[in-house]
Amino acid sequence: MKYIYELHKTMLARNLILVYEGEFTQEITKSVLAMAERNMDSMGEESGIKRKVFNVMVECLQNIVKHSDDFSKQSEQKPTAIFMIGKQDNAYIITSGNPIKNEDVDNLRSKLDQINGLDKEGLKQLYKDIIKSTSLSEKGGAGLGFVDMARKSGNPLEYDFERLDDQYSFFSLRTKIAKE
C-alpha cells in the first residue's frame, strides 16, 4: 500500500495533472481529453493556451492509438502506452510513450530531427509542403502531426527510443507548451 503514497508524492513533486497508462482506444482517448480539459478549466486556464495544449494532446494520443494498432497486430502482448500532462510555473509538459517497430525508428528520428532543426517559418513551410505533396493514408504517417505539435508548442520536440526487443522500441516524446 505504501507505493500508492509514493506515487502520489511523485505526481505532486512533478506537478502531474493526469497520468494514464494502459491500452489506448478512441473512447479512452476521448475520456483522457475530457478529463484534461476539465482540469484546465478548473484551474482557470486561458482559452488560447488550452487550445494549444489540447491540439498537442490530440496529436500525441492519435500517435499512440496508431502505433498501438500496429503493435497489437504484430505481437501477442497487450499494447501498453503512457500519457502524462503536467504543469510547471510557466508551461504545460505533455509526455507520451508507446512501443513502435524497430524498423520505424530511424525514419521517425530523421523526421523529428528535421522538425527540430527548423524555425517558425521553416515549420510553416514544411507543414504546407507536406499538405501539398503527400497523399496521406487514413493513418497519416507523413509527420504532419509532429510538425503541428512543434508549431503549436513553439519548442523542440524532445524524444528518446529505448529498445525493447528484436522487433520493438519504446518511443518517448515530451512537448513543452509555454504559457504566454
Side-chain angles (χ1 to χ4, degrees), residues 25 75 90 127 130 153 155 158 173 178:
T25 63
S75 173
N90 298 320
Y127 188 87
I130 291 171
S153 72
N155 289 301
E158 299 174 41
L173 180 68

Side-chain angles (χ1 to χ4, degrees), residues 26-42:
Q26 291 299 340
E27 277 65 41
I28 290 170
T29 297
K30 287 178 194 173
S31 297
V32 168
L33 290 169
M35 283 188 285
E37 185 176 27
R38 279 193 300 273
N39 207 315
M40 284 190 290
D41 284 342
S42 72

Side-chain angles (χ1 to χ4, degrees), residues 127-143:
Y127 188 87
K128 287 178 181 178
D129 292 347
I130 291 171
I131 288 177
K132 280 192 276 189
S133 66
T134 308
S135 57
L136 294 173
S137 70
E138 65 187 43
K139 288 187 138 193

Side-chain angles (χ1 to χ4, degrees), residues 1 36 42 55 61-62 84 122 124 158 160 165-166 176 178:
M1 292 299 254
S42 72
N55 181 281
L61 291 166
Q62 285 178 343
M84 297 180 281
K124 185 177 179 180
E158 299 174 41
D160 190 35
D165 58 30
D166 290 343
K176 184 176 183 176

